[in-house]
Amino acid sequence: MHLRVEAGTAEIAGHAFTVPQRVDWEAGDIVYLDAASSERPSLFLELVSGLARFSRYLQPVEGRAMVRRPFPVRGLDLFSFRLPDGSSFKLTLPDEECPAGLDFRLHRAQTIGFVFGEPKQYSVGRNVAEEIRYSFAALGREVPSDLSAFEKYGLTKILAHPTQSLSGGESHRLNIACVVETGSPFLILDLSAANLDRDFKTFLKELLNEIRETRIVLIYDGGRGDFADLCRRAVTISAGRVATVEVASVREACASRAPLLLTDPAREDAEPILVAEGFGHAGLARPFSAVLREGEHALFLAPNGTGKTSLARGLVGIDARHDGRLWRRDGSRIAAIFQYPDRLPVHLTVGELDRGGAFRDHFPEVGRDVRVAELSLSRKKLLYVLAFLAMPLDILVLDEPFAGLDRPEMEILLAQINAATGLSAMIFSHEAEIDAETVRHLI
């Protein structure tokens, strides 16, 4: 089994990637992609996966299909694959040259398993069990009647849950499970590895180690380094140039970084601004009780799927299903930011959202007239969170604000939160790598 990237230039959606020297990966290789989000690593992964060739890339099941916006692409002939059965193909393979009974779309999907950085928008099943069965049927695989193999992913207890009600971490677990269990020999994990709690990251590393001899895995975790110790090879993207590097140098760079620290600027005699007592609903692991003081920055840690988003919605009054007592100081201005914004204003320009100028300070190369829609997913989210931090608020509830950001973006956001000394902030996160002067565990 072999994946080869020939020397040359490929382009997707106006972004060019130049490969100065041929790259080869074999079965057993877990490859770490080290790149800043400004290098658009997700677009590069779409090129490698072949998804860029299609607006519709999975076979419909019962009249449904996954539809995506097509990208203008060129240079797909750089990418070639040799399969375990000895056959080979390029991403430009015409349908008539595919194996008997297959078109290229299905052939590619059976070969390359892709886990998106934001999986919810690509879910098609009405619930978890249906999503699992769809993932097999769409690839022409036998649909399992027994889903007990998915217990190790923590999914069997939520099989009846609607896919759109899942937490971000649960959605990532579901997508990873489907890609691994359907048997694709080439696995691509795009930022999904950066959105998992510590326990599932540990499990995933063990799982990848178990299956590595029969797979090639290309993994991007936002430069956090969580999976660098598992990888046998590494590749970087810098100024659009894709090149192999020694994986040891990547590990050393990750290990030498300063820790992430959330400071708490609240005075010792600060008065409460929000009090919750026995607050929650059936979806939470247990009722939530906390006192947030004026100007306090508090980090609340909990694993994926424990109800952090539901709790955040209840604290700002979006979800009224909660029991218990919730008190806020009269006249206090409160807002919440969620992991996956439902209505991100992508039609606006960077300048229209960047009221405080923090985004411009860190990314002066991004023009003020650039549409938000043109930014990478992580830059969109960072801009969105920075816009809220610039608002005249008293309380800001942040639901998984670091999920989906690369390491430099996490550092930028943390510095901006730390600088907001007049703001009372409640941060709900699974990010155990973040240290905090005030940290509480939800469970």
Side-chain angles (χ1 to χ4, degrees):
M1 192 166 67
H2 190 131
L3 167 58
R4 170 167 290 174
V5 185
E6 300 284 358
T9 298
E11 186 174 311
I12 175 172
H15 295 271
F17 298 94
T18 300
V19 183
Q21 187 172 358
R22 190 177 72 192
V23 178
D24 290 283
W25 297 317
E26 304 283 349
D29 285 338
I30 299 180
V31 185
Y32 188 85
L33 176 59
D34 186 29
S37 68
S38 58
E39 297 289 348
R40 305 306 291 267
S42 295
L43 288 180
F44 176 73
L45 294 179
E46 292 220 13
L47 281 172
V48 178
S49 72
L51 292 179
R53 178 174 164 181
F54 304 105
S55 59
R56 179 173 297 187
Y57 60 93
L58 286 183
Q59 296 295 315
V61 174
E62 297 179 357
R64 287 174 294 136
M66 296 171 66
V67 180
R68 305 181 67 252
R69 176 170 59 89
F71 289 120
V73 296
R74 66 180 181 87
L76 284 177
D77 57 328
L78 297 184
F79 306 97
S80 60
F81 300 82
R82 189 177 72 241
L83 306 183
D85 63 3
S87 63
S88 62
F89 76 100
K90 285 192 172 186
L91 295 182
T92 51
L93 183 72
D95 283 348
E96 57 268 20
E97 295 182 21
C98 279
L102 296 178
D103 65 10
F104 177 82
R105 184 182 296 111
L106 180 59
H107 188 48
R108 186 223 59 82
Q110 289 178 340
T111 302
I112 308 166
F114 194 107
V115 179
F116 292 94
E118 188 176 356
K120 276 192 177 184
Q121 61 181 322
Y122 302 111
S123 295
V124 295
R126 286 167 293 195
N127 57 43
V128 171
E130 187 176 288
E131 184 78 10
I132 292 172
R133 294 189 175 101
Y134 177 86
S135 67
F136 282 82
L139 299 182
R141 313 256 193 230
E142 182 180 353
V143 178
S145 57
D146 180 9
L147 300 182
S148 58
F150 292 83
E151 183 175 0
K152 61 179 176 283
Y153 300 94
L155 298 176
T156 51
K157 59 186 177 183
I158 59 170
L159 290 174
H161 290 202
T163 53
Q164 294 303 315
S165 72
L166 300 181
S167 70
E170 289 171 332
S171 295
H172 286 295
R173 296 206 315 259
L174 172 60
N175 281 259
I176 290 169
C178 290
V179 165
V180 172
E181 296 298 322
T182 50
S184 301
F186 300 94
L187 305 181
I188 298 177
L189 307 183
D190 175 23
L191 253 182
S192 54
N195 294 317
L196 302 170
D197 60 41
R198 181 167 51 188
D199 290 344
F200 196 81
K201 281 181 184 177
T202 300
F203 162 76
L204 181 57
K205 290 169 74 171
E206 293 172 352
L207 177 66
L208 293 177
N209 209 32
E210 288 176 9
I211 66 175
R212 67 184 305 159
E213 295 310 317
T214 59
R215 314 279 181 112
I216 294 175
V217 183
L218 180 55
I219 191 165
Y220 173 61
D221 70 356
R224 301 176 184 216
D226 294 327
F227 290 81
D229 60 340
L230 185 67
C231 295
R232 186 175 294 174
R233 299 178 183 272
V235 61
T236 64
I237 304 176
S238 178
R241 290 171 59 87
V242 181
T244 57
V245 294
E246 291 295 329
V247 70
S249 65
V250 175
R251 293 175 186 150
E252 290 171 4
C254 293
S256 65
R257 292 182 304 212
L260 298 169
L261 177 64
L262 175 69
T263 61
D264 182 5
R267 303 187 316 271
E268 291 186 7
D269 60 347
E271 295 291 327
I273 193 169
L274 182 149
V275 178
E277 293 181 353
F279 189 72
H281 65 82
L284 294 177
R286 69 180 186 187
F288 174 73
S289 296
V291 175
L292 183 70
R293 298 176 298 149
E294 185 177 3
E296 181 180 11
H297 295 171
L299 177 65
F300 296 86
L301 289 176
N304 296 134
T306 50
K308 297 186 295 294
T309 298
S310 296
L311 179 57
R313 291 172 64 87
L315 289 171
V316 295
I318 297 175
D319 189 339
R321 296 177 297 157
H322 294 70
D323 299 321
R325 173 176 174 259
L326 177 65
W327 172 87
R328 291 198 304 267
R329 180 185 298 171
D330 288 344
S332 58
R333 298 161 295 184
I334 187 170
I337 303 168
F338 297 98
Q339 178 175 355
Y340 296 116
D342 292 331
R343 295 179 177 85
L344 191 63
V346 295
H347 61 286
L348 297 180
T349 65
V350 170
E352 288 171 322
L353 270 184
D354 187 28
R355 300 290 180 85
F359 190 87
R360 180 182 64 247
D361 292 343
H362 291 284
F363 307 109
E365 73 279 5
V366 180
R368 305 286 288 170
D369 295 329
V370 171
R371 293 280 178 186
V372 175
E374 297 176 37
L375 301 178
S376 67
L377 179 62
S378 63
R379 290 284 170 89
K380 287 188 184 85
K381 180 171 180 178
L382 179 61
L383 175 59
Y384 173 77
V385 180
L386 292 177
F388 271 80
L389 286 170
M391 293 179 181
L393 298 171
D394 300 301
I395 305 170
L396 183 58
V397 179
L398 300 99
D399 169 42
E400 297 284 13
F402 305 105
L405 303 185
D406 66 20
R407 173 66 187 230
E409 291 165 344
M410 291 175 68
E411 295 172 353
I412 290 169
L413 178 55
L414 201 55
Q416 292 299 313
I417 294 174
N418 289 340
T421 54
L423 178 70
S424 301
M426 302 183 78
I427 301 171
F428 296 98
S429 179
H430 68 266
E431 301 281 359
E433 67 212 73
I434 296 176
D435 296 324
E437 294 177 350
T438 301
V439 59
R440 303 167 193 176
H441 294 268
L442 292 181
I443 63 170

